[in-house]
Amino acid sequence: MGIQSVDRAAEALEALAATGTASVGQVAERLGVHKSTASRILSSLAAHGLVEQRDAGGTYALGFGLVRLASAVTSRLDFSQIAQRLCDRVAEDLSLTANVAVLDDVHAVNVSQAVGTGLLAPRHYVGLRTPGHATSSGKMLLAHSESARQTIAGLTLEPHTERTITHTDGLEAELARARGQDWAASNEEWEQHITAVAVPLRLPDGTVEAALTVTGPTHSLPPDAFARTAQRMRGLATASGRWS
């Protein structure tokens, strides 16, 4: 019954989108329901700002609450598009696999990826939920989320290689170091013979929205190149126009 109510609410919104305005009776006819049912649906939508009553006679139109929802979708689309463009540019510039990741609980989830030239059969990271304590992107995101750090402090840290940090004290020190130097690294901590560097992607208000990561075989991204690679990545991120 609940699903049917959602379907009817969606149909009511579509009816108003098609006609501009409609009475309770017209919406009821479109939905094939009694006027009292249509009235309840419209009243519920109005309570959330998704429709508004135009006059005492019961004529309804779409509300400004939909603008709020639409702007959220637009913002996310912009994020995805800009993240992909940034990955493309970073991969081309550094000849490494580039990813943008966001925080999910205590994990990093990759939302975009581009592969650098000369890399054979790279791992596909998009959509992959990676361990926050063992990846550069995860460390960078955890470093800037107090709530996530509190959560992970109570967890058992799984070892993925012999280099993985498995003690919470060691991880907290690593995250503090990442905040201080403004980059994080994974030195064969998630996958053997694979290294990675991440930098934060900050919005104008200073909020860390995501992390930009480059990944490659150890010979292509050795530890002594981490700091200068991070510096180059920050410059490319700033040029995106969205992040600093």
Side-chain angles (χ1 to χ4, degrees):
M1 189 66 174
I3 301 257
Q4 186 181 48
S5 297
V6 173
D7 288 340
R8 286 173 173 172
E11 287 183 44
L13 293 172
E14 290 175 358
L16 293 175
T19 61
T21 61
S23 67
V24 174
Q26 289 170 324
V27 172
E29 184 177 356
R30 167 73 180 262
L31 272 56
V33 299
H34 193 273
K35 285 180 64 174
S36 62
T37 301
S39 180
R40 287 196 299 272
I41 292 171
L42 290 168
S43 295
S44 180
L45 291 172
H48 292 280
L50 302 179
V51 303
E52 58 185 28
Q53 192 171 1
R54 286 294 178 86
D55 53 50
T59 300
Y60 284 84
L62 295 178
F64 283 101
L66 290 171
V67 176
R68 182 184 69 251
L69 297 178
S71 65
V73 173
T74 301
S75 175
R76 179 53 58 185
L77 288 174
D78 288 345
F79 171 89
S80 299
Q81 292 164 353
I82 296 171
Q84 188 58 57
R85 287 200 297 268
L86 177 58
C87 286
D88 292 341
R89 185 172 181 186
V90 170
E92 181 180 6
D93 188 274
L94 295 174
S95 297
L96 297 165
T97 297
N99 286 274
V100 168
V102 296
L103 186 65
D104 178 15
D105 189 24
V106 295
H107 300 81
V109 177
N110 294 287
V111 298
S112 58
Q113 175 175 315
V115 180
T117 56
L119 295 179
L120 300 176
R123 185 168 181 175
H124 187 69
Y125 293 97
V126 174
L128 197 61
R129 200 166 183 252
T130 62
H133 67 287
T135 58
S136 63
S137 56
K139 291 179 188 177
M140 195 74 265
L141 294 167
L142 288 172
H144 292 281
S145 173
E146 183 176 354
S147 61
R149 292 197 304 277
Q150 290 176 350
T151 299
I152 203 168
L155 302 178
T156 299
L157 303 181
E158 179 185 355
H160 296 274
T161 73
E162 62 182 14
R163 291 177 177 266
T164 306
I165 297 172
T166 56
H167 298 287
T168 54
D169 288 347
L171 178 61
E172 187 54 48
E174 178 83 348
L175 300 181
R177 184 160 47 250
R179 285 192 299 275
Q181 65 193 11
D182 211 31
W183 57 270
S186 175
N187 185 9
E188 300 187 65
E189 295 166 51
W190 185 35
E191 300 173 283
Q192 289 185 338
H193 312 302
I194 298 295
T195 53
V197 175
V199 297
L201 294 176
R202 289 188 177 87
L203 295 172
D205 65 1
T207 301
V208 174
E209 183 178 33
L212 170 66
T213 305
V214 292
T215 305
T218 306
H219 64 82
S220 296
L221 184 59
D224 61 8
F226 287 168
R228 66 175 179 271
T229 300
Q231 183 176 9
R232 179 58 182 162
M233 292 165 67
R234 281 194 293 269
L236 293 169
T238 299
S240 71
R242 181 184 179 97
W243 298 296
S244 60

